[in-house]
Amino acid sequence: MSLRFTLCAALLVASSSASASYQTSADKDGCWDAKQPRGGKCLQQTDHSWDGDKITVTYRNVCSERIYAKVCHDKKNGGSDCGAFGIRGNSNYKYYTYNASGDVSYNAVGSTQSSFDWVCKSRWNMKVNGS
């Protein structure tokens, strides 16, 4: 009985120590790692659609706190169309590109204050397509 109790207690401690990533990584400026409590990224691509050569991609912040995202959509001419924007917790953002090849890349950092987006971006070394 005591071994079972010890194992249950250990599991409880382990699960409670995996608290929200925002709570464990946020700094004084509201910058944080933009990861879910179990380690997955808060920013996810949830949908995309085509209209001729225009691609529209839906990005979702699956976390509760605001994130700052950067996305890049490759173009048929070899260039990229990149944009950066904030997404509130549990919200979507649609980004579209004309003359798109279909290749997309994205990344995000947690930023609870929009005035600190660029600070958070540099602090967490958020890179997309080498930029």
Side-chain angles (χ1 to χ4, degrees):
M1 180 76 167
S2 75
L3 179 60
R4 183 179 292 166
F5 176 77
T6 304
L7 288 174
C8 288
L11 285 173
L12 181 62
V13 168
S15 66
S16 66
S17 67
S19 62
S21 184
Y22 166 75
Q23 293 173 348
T24 59
S25 70
D27 64 20
K28 65 180 174 46
D29 296 323
C31 302
W32 59 288
D33 66 3
K35 292 188 178 165
Q36 298 177 61
R38 302 276 185 238
K41 293 182 176 187
C42 291
L43 181 64
Q44 298 180 4
Q45 179 186 336
T46 59
D47 193 23
H48 74 277
S49 61
W50 286 93
D51 183 8
D53 70 347
K54 173 187 168 188
I55 190 170
T56 302
V57 181
T58 303
Y59 297 95
R60 178 155 184 85
N61 176 2
V62 298
C63 293
S64 302
E65 300 293 329
R66 182 183 181 279
I67 61 174
Y68 176 70
K70 181 173 182 184
V71 303
C72 291
H73 295 179
D74 290 350
K75 299 178 85 167
K76 291 178 184 175
N77 66 6
S80 289
D81 173 30
C82 297
F85 43 84
I87 309 176
R88 291 178 311 199
N90 301 306
S91 296
N92 294 330
Y93 189 94
K94 291 186 181 211
Y95 191 82
Y96 64 89
T97 299
Y98 287 95
N99 194 27
S101 71
D103 293 325
V104 301
S105 54
Y106 53 93
N107 204 349
V109 65
S111 178
T112 59
Q113 302 175 56
S114 61
S115 59
F116 283 90
D117 287 349
W118 293 98
V119 171
C120 296
K121 178 185 176 208
S122 352
R123 190 167 292 159
W124 284 94
N125 198 21
M126 181 180 80
K127 293 192 181 274
V128 175
N129 279 352
S131 60

